[in-house]
Amino acid sequence: METYKCPVCGNTDINSIGYLNGEPYCRKCISFNGENAKERKIKKGTITFDLKYKLSKEQSEISKQVIENYKNGINTLINAVCGSGKTELVYGVIAHALSTGQQVGFAVPRRDVAYELYLRIKSVFTSNKVILVCGGHHKELEGDVIVLTTHQLYRYNNYFSLLILDEIDAFPYQGNDVLNEMFQRAVKKNYVMMSATPSNQVLQRFLEQNHNILYLNRRYHGHKLPVPKFVRCFGLAMRIELIKILKKYVQQQKPIFVFVPTIELCEYLYSKIKDKVHGGYFVHSKCHDRAKRIQDFRDGVYSYLITTAVLERGVTVKDLQVIIYEADHHLYDESTLVQISGRVGRKLDAPEGEVIFLGSKETRAITNAIKQIKDKNASV
Ligand SMILES: [Zn+2]
């Protein structure tokens, strides 16, 4: 039997190749089917983009370097702390690519993040056609800048002269070979990857392949990252500690996220504390009205929200305080703890806040997350 290589994901493993009427098909990426994008000519010319504020000195140095790398055919990894203004760092290279008539794509693993990103890019590149392609939203596949989820990359084989991928360490992209392969196949010229918490594996690969890594350890507003405080407690004492802290913040009228490792614990904890601390609610990935619960929280309807991984990334709430309940749970690895801590102090007019880890033991992930944040603060 001759070897079959899947045209979508590059799979050659015979164990995941099936046959239908004698024709081979790939089981690895069978769920990725649909229309492919057509080639489209992009008009060359000067690009004006509407940056909402001036880049800091560090931001504009990195922005320039990304453009330089792109011109020289070098791939870039931007390792920038949470709240550093990562997205703004690639506006320059997007404008450069567009002005020379090159196709741009901007991918993220999660759909709700893709939507927010689309609105942002559209409001900046007002004279270009910016489109969104994600699950349930793929009637139109061609534009100057295509904002998409990594799941939609299969439609764009050898397509993007410039492909940007943010949140490279996020589920479901991280560790997913099929998505990774589809990303590589979608790149025609060069890519830029971004993360606040890239894995050592990714950093290693970039170094080995002679790509360029750019670091930004200062937040855009110049204030340091909040350093989490670990409080050792367990069982009922953890709940009592949580109630005590919640009451303090509620009295100070500060909004609070309480992160918990599982959906079961999310609902259980809420049932146990709702009569002790009033005005809160919960949200997790199985809540069908989760967008509304989050919006209500933003609008000040709830004083606190007990939540799972759904609010771990991409959310900015002014003056937010964060508590992680059972922070010693095995689901909380170093980068997740750093990401969650990065929700705090993101606004220029509220650049500080508290992050509290409650746990019965200080895990290696907890120790390393706190150390990583302290090290980044010390380097600026
Ligand atoms: Zn395949």
Side-chain angles (χ1 to χ4, degrees), residues 35-40 103 129 131 133 140-144 146 156 159:
E35 204 187 326
N36 281 18
K38 294 171 191 67
E39 288 287 332
R40 179 171 177 274
Q103 177 70 57
K129 185 179 176 191
I131 65 157
V133 178
E140 190 173 33
L141 299 175
E142 293 95 20
D144 298 345
I146 299 166
Y156 301 92
Y159 195 89

PDB file of all heavy atoms in Angstrom, residues 35-40 103 129 131 133 140-144 146 156 159:
ATOM      1  N   GLU A  35     -15.867  24.650   2.971  1.00  0.00           N
ATOM      2  CA  GLU A  35     -15.350  25.369   1.832  1.00  0.00           C
ATOM      3  C   GLU A  35     -13.971  25.956   2.107  1.00  0.00           C
ATOM      4  O   GLU A  35     -13.700  26.410   3.225  1.00  0.00           O
ATOM      5  CB  GLU A  35     -16.327  26.502   1.531  1.00  0.00           C
ATOM      6  CG  GLU A  35     -16.291  26.979   0.097  1.00  0.00           C
ATOM      7  CD  GLU A  35     -17.174  28.207  -0.058  1.00  0.00           C
ATOM      8  OE1 GLU A  35     -18.212  28.284   0.647  1.00  0.00           O
ATOM      9  OE2 GLU A  35     -16.816  29.074  -0.844  1.00  0.00           O
ATOM     10  N   ASN A  36     -13.115  25.966   1.078  1.00  0.00           N
ATOM     11  CA  ASN A  36     -11.808  26.615   1.220  1.00  0.00           C
ATOM     12  C   ASN A  36     -11.851  28.036   0.676  1.00  0.00           C
ATOM     13  O   ASN A  36     -12.628  28.339  -0.214  1.00  0.00           O
ATOM     14  CB  ASN A  36     -10.747  25.818   0.465  1.00  0.00           C
ATOM     15  CG  ASN A  36     -10.308  24.602   1.251  1.00  0.00           C
ATOM     16  OD1 ASN A  36     -10.998  24.170   2.176  1.00  0.00           O
ATOM     17  ND2 ASN A  36      -9.182  24.042   0.891  1.00  0.00           N
ATOM     18  N   ALA A  37     -10.982  28.880   1.225  1.00  0.00           N
ATOM     19  CA  ALA A  37     -10.947  30.276   0.781  1.00  0.00           C
ATOM     20  C   ALA A  37     -10.290  30.379  -0.590  1.00  0.00           C
ATOM     21  O   ALA A  37      -9.416  29.593  -0.926  1.00  0.00           O
ATOM     22  CB  ALA A  37     -10.181  31.110   1.788  1.00  0.00           C
ATOM     23  N   LYS A  38     -10.725  31.365  -1.350  1.00  0.00           N
ATOM     24  CA  LYS A  38     -10.107  31.600  -2.663  1.00  0.00           C
ATOM     25  C   LYS A  38      -9.046  32.684  -2.544  1.00  0.00           C
ATOM     26  O   LYS A  38      -9.088  33.507  -1.630  1.00  0.00           O
ATOM     27  CB  LYS A  38     -11.178  32.044  -3.665  1.00  0.00           C
ATOM     28  CG  LYS A  38     -12.189  30.948  -3.958  1.00  0.00           C
ATOM     29  CD  LYS A  38     -13.350  31.485  -4.778  1.00  0.00           C
ATOM     30  CE  LYS A  38     -14.475  30.468  -4.832  1.00  0.00           C
ATOM     31  NZ  LYS A  38     -15.129  30.253  -3.508  1.00  0.00           N
ATOM     32  N   GLU A  39      -8.122  32.661  -3.500  1.00  0.00           N
ATOM     33  CA  GLU A  39      -7.104  33.715  -3.546  1.00  0.00           C
ATOM     34  C   GLU A  39      -7.781  35.057  -3.772  1.00  0.00           C
ATOM     35  O   GLU A  39      -8.772  35.142  -4.486  1.00  0.00           O
ATOM     36  CB  GLU A  39      -6.121  33.455  -4.690  1.00  0.00           C
ATOM     37  CG  GLU A  39      -5.171  32.294  -4.453  1.00  0.00           C
ATOM     38  CD  GLU A  39      -4.083  32.607  -3.431  1.00  0.00           C
ATOM     39  OE1 GLU A  39      -3.713  33.793  -3.292  1.00  0.00           O
ATOM     40  OE2 GLU A  39      -3.607  31.665  -2.770  1.00  0.00           O
ATOM     41  N   ARG A  40      -7.239  36.089  -3.177  1.00  0.00           N
ATOM     42  CA  ARG A  40      -7.837  37.402  -3.352  1.00  0.00           C
ATOM     43  C   ARG A  40      -6.726  38.427  -3.478  1.00  0.00           C
ATOM     44  O   ARG A  40      -5.738  38.371  -2.755  1.00  0.00           O
ATOM     45  CB  ARG A  40      -8.693  37.717  -2.129  1.00  0.00           C
ATOM     46  CG  ARG A  40      -9.352  39.068  -2.175  1.00  0.00           C
ATOM     47  CD  ARG A  40     -10.341  39.150  -1.019  1.00  0.00           C
ATOM     48  NE  ARG A  40     -10.962  40.454  -0.970  1.00  0.00           N
ATOM     49  CZ  ARG A  40     -10.435  41.497  -0.347  1.00  0.00           C
ATOM     50  NH1 ARG A  40      -9.296  41.391   0.277  1.00  0.00           N
ATOM     51  NH2 ARG A  40     -11.068  42.654  -0.350  1.00  0.00           N
ATOM     52  N   GLN A 103      -1.482  39.247   2.103  1.00  0.00           N
ATOM     53  CA  GLN A 103      -2.623  38.735   2.862  1.00  0.00           C
ATOM     54  C   GLN A 103      -2.272  38.539   4.347  1.00  0.00           C
ATOM     55  O   GLN A 103      -1.244  37.957   4.672  1.00  0.00           O
ATOM     56  CB  GLN A 103      -3.062  37.396   2.261  1.00  0.00           C
ATOM     57  CG  GLN A 103      -4.194  36.714   2.985  1.00  0.00           C
ATOM     58  CD  GLN A 103      -5.516  37.454   2.810  1.00  0.00           C
ATOM     59  OE1 GLN A 103      -5.972  37.671   1.701  1.00  0.00           O
ATOM     60  NE2 GLN A 103      -6.125  37.845   3.926  1.00  0.00           N
ATOM     61  N   LYS A 129     -10.739  45.776   4.624  1.00  0.00           N
ATOM     62  CA  LYS A 129     -11.811  44.817   4.863  1.00  0.00           C
ATOM     63  C   LYS A 129     -11.345  43.787   5.897  1.00  0.00           C
ATOM     64  O   LYS A 129     -10.478  42.964   5.617  1.00  0.00           O
ATOM     65  CB  LYS A 129     -12.186  44.131   3.543  1.00  0.00           C
ATOM     66  CG  LYS A 129     -13.374  43.208   3.690  1.00  0.00           C
ATOM     67  CD  LYS A 129     -13.735  42.574   2.357  1.00  0.00           C
ATOM     68  CE  LYS A 129     -14.871  41.572   2.560  1.00  0.00           C
ATOM     69  NZ  LYS A 129     -15.086  40.760   1.366  1.00  0.00           N
ATOM     70  N   ILE A 131     -12.506  40.707   8.319  1.00  0.00           N
ATOM     71  CA  ILE A 131     -13.626  39.772   8.511  1.00  0.00           C
ATOM     72  C   ILE A 131     -13.343  38.785   9.637  1.00  0.00           C
ATOM     73  O   ILE A 131     -12.198  38.589  10.039  1.00  0.00           O
ATOM     74  CB  ILE A 131     -13.980  38.986   7.223  1.00  0.00           C
ATOM     75  CG1 ILE A 131     -12.818  38.061   6.814  1.00  0.00           C
ATOM     76  CG2 ILE A 131     -14.351  39.906   6.075  1.00  0.00           C
ATOM     77  CD1 ILE A 131     -13.254  36.902   5.946  1.00  0.00           C
ATOM     78  N   VAL A 133     -13.916  34.805  10.864  1.00  0.00           N
ATOM     79  CA  VAL A 133     -14.283  33.446  10.458  1.00  0.00           C
ATOM     80  C   VAL A 133     -14.145  32.528  11.672  1.00  0.00           C
ATOM     81  O   VAL A 133     -13.054  32.398  12.248  1.00  0.00           O
ATOM     82  CB  VAL A 133     -13.382  32.928   9.306  1.00  0.00           C
ATOM     83  CG1 VAL A 133     -13.758  31.503   8.929  1.00  0.00           C
ATOM     84  CG2 VAL A 133     -13.492  33.841   8.085  1.00  0.00           C
ATOM     85  N   GLU A 140     -18.531  34.210   4.600  1.00  0.00           N
ATOM     86  CA  GLU A 140     -17.547  34.975   3.851  1.00  0.00           C
ATOM     87  C   GLU A 140     -16.163  34.571   4.334  1.00  0.00           C
ATOM     88  O   GLU A 140     -15.891  34.604   5.533  1.00  0.00           O
ATOM     89  CB  GLU A 140     -17.776  36.465   4.100  1.00  0.00           C
ATOM     90  CG  GLU A 140     -16.950  37.323   3.178  1.00  0.00           C
ATOM     91  CD  GLU A 140     -17.304  38.796   3.314  1.00  0.00           C
ATOM     92  OE1 GLU A 140     -17.659  39.237   4.423  1.00  0.00           O
ATOM     93  OE2 GLU A 140     -17.198  39.508   2.312  1.00  0.00           O
ATOM     94  N   LEU A 141     -15.303  34.188   3.381  1.00  0.00           N
ATOM     95  CA  LEU A 141     -13.990  33.660   3.777  1.00  0.00           C
ATOM     96  C   LEU A 141     -12.829  34.541   3.351  1.00  0.00           C
ATOM     97  O   LEU A 141     -11.690  34.284   3.724  1.00  0.00           O
ATOM     98  CB  LEU A 141     -13.792  32.262   3.173  1.00  0.00           C
ATOM     99  CG  LEU A 141     -14.786  31.177   3.598  1.00  0.00           C
ATOM    100  CD1 LEU A 141     -14.526  29.896   2.820  1.00  0.00           C
ATOM    101  CD2 LEU A 141     -14.700  30.913   5.091  1.00  0.00           C
ATOM    102  N   GLU A 142     -13.094  35.590   2.540  1.00  0.00           N
ATOM    103  CA  GLU A 142     -11.990  36.393   2.027  1.00  0.00           C
ATOM    104  C   GLU A 142     -12.069  37.842   2.487  1.00  0.00           C
ATOM    105  O   GLU A 142     -13.136  38.442   2.488  1.00  0.00           O
ATOM    106  CB  GLU A 142     -11.949  36.349   0.482  1.00  0.00           C
ATOM    107  CG  GLU A 142     -11.604  34.981  -0.084  1.00  0.00           C
ATOM    108  CD  GLU A 142     -12.837  34.171  -0.445  1.00  0.00           C
ATOM    109  OE1 GLU A 142     -13.907  34.774  -0.608  1.00  0.00           O
ATOM    110  OE2 GLU A 142     -12.742  32.928  -0.550  1.00  0.00           O
ATOM    111  N   GLY A 143     -10.898  38.374   2.876  1.00  0.00           N
ATOM    112  CA  GLY A 143     -10.814  39.762   3.305  1.00  0.00           C
ATOM    113  C   GLY A 143      -9.355  40.179   3.353  1.00  0.00           C
ATOM    114  O   GLY A 143      -8.465  39.351   3.116  1.00  0.00           O
ATOM    115  N   ASP A 144      -9.080  41.452   3.675  1.00  0.00           N
ATOM    116  CA  ASP A 144      -7.678  41.903   3.785  1.00  0.00           C
ATOM    117  C   ASP A 144      -7.045  41.320   5.051  1.00  0.00           C
ATOM    118  O   ASP A 144      -5.931  40.826   5.046  1.00  0.00           O
ATOM    119  CB  ASP A 144      -7.599  43.431   3.866  1.00  0.00           C
ATOM    120  CG  ASP A 144      -8.163  44.104   2.616  1.00  0.00           C
ATOM    121  OD1 ASP A 144      -8.337  43.403   1.614  1.00  0.00           O
ATOM    122  OD2 ASP A 144      -8.412  45.320   2.671  1.00  0.00           O
ATOM    123  N   ILE A 146      -8.024  38.607   7.988  1.00  0.00           N
ATOM    124  CA  ILE A 146      -8.988  37.584   8.380  1.00  0.00           C
ATOM    125  C   ILE A 146      -8.711  37.195   9.827  1.00  0.00           C
ATOM    126  O   ILE A 146      -7.640  36.676  10.147  1.00  0.00           O
ATOM    127  CB  ILE A 146      -8.888  36.360   7.445  1.00  0.00           C
ATOM    128  CG1 ILE A 146      -9.195  36.798   6.004  1.00  0.00           C
ATOM    129  CG2 ILE A 146      -9.845  35.257   7.891  1.00  0.00           C
ATOM    130  CD1 ILE A 146      -8.816  35.790   4.943  1.00  0.00           C
ATOM    131  N   TYR A 156      -7.455  27.614   4.707  1.00  0.00           N
ATOM    132  CA  TYR A 156      -6.481  28.557   4.150  1.00  0.00           C
ATOM    133  C   TYR A 156      -5.116  27.905   3.956  1.00  0.00           C
ATOM    134  O   TYR A 156      -4.166  28.195   4.681  1.00  0.00           O
ATOM    135  CB  TYR A 156      -6.350  29.773   5.083  1.00  0.00           C
ATOM    136  CG  TYR A 156      -7.649  30.514   5.286  1.00  0.00           C
ATOM    137  CD1 TYR A 156      -8.489  30.203   6.353  1.00  0.00           C
ATOM    138  CD2 TYR A 156      -8.035  31.515   4.403  1.00  0.00           C
ATOM    139  CE1 TYR A 156      -9.690  30.872   6.529  1.00  0.00           C
ATOM    140  CE2 TYR A 156      -9.228  32.193   4.571  1.00  0.00           C
ATOM    141  CZ  TYR A 156     -10.046  31.869   5.638  1.00  0.00           C
ATOM    142  OH  TYR A 156     -11.232  32.530   5.807  1.00  0.00           O
ATOM    143  N   TYR A 159      -1.707  30.266   2.459  1.00  0.00           N
ATOM    144  CA  TYR A 159      -2.559  31.410   2.131  1.00  0.00           C
ATOM    145  C   TYR A 159      -2.059  32.736   2.696  1.00  0.00           C
ATOM    146  O   TYR A 159      -2.086  33.757   2.024  1.00  0.00           O
ATOM    147  CB  TYR A 159      -3.950  31.113   2.670  1.00  0.00           C
ATOM    148  CG  TYR A 159      -5.051  31.995   2.138  1.00  0.00           C
ATOM    149  CD1 TYR A 159      -5.736  31.654   0.973  1.00  0.00           C
ATOM    150  CD2 TYR A 159      -5.431  33.157   2.806  1.00  0.00           C
ATOM    151  CE1 TYR A 159      -6.765  32.442   0.489  1.00  0.00           C
ATOM    152  CE2 TYR A 159      -6.463  33.956   2.327  1.00  0.00           C
ATOM    153  CZ  TYR A 159      -7.128  33.586   1.165  1.00  0.00           C
ATOM    154  OH  TYR A 159      -8.143  34.361   0.683  1.00  0.00           O
TER     155      TYR A 159
END
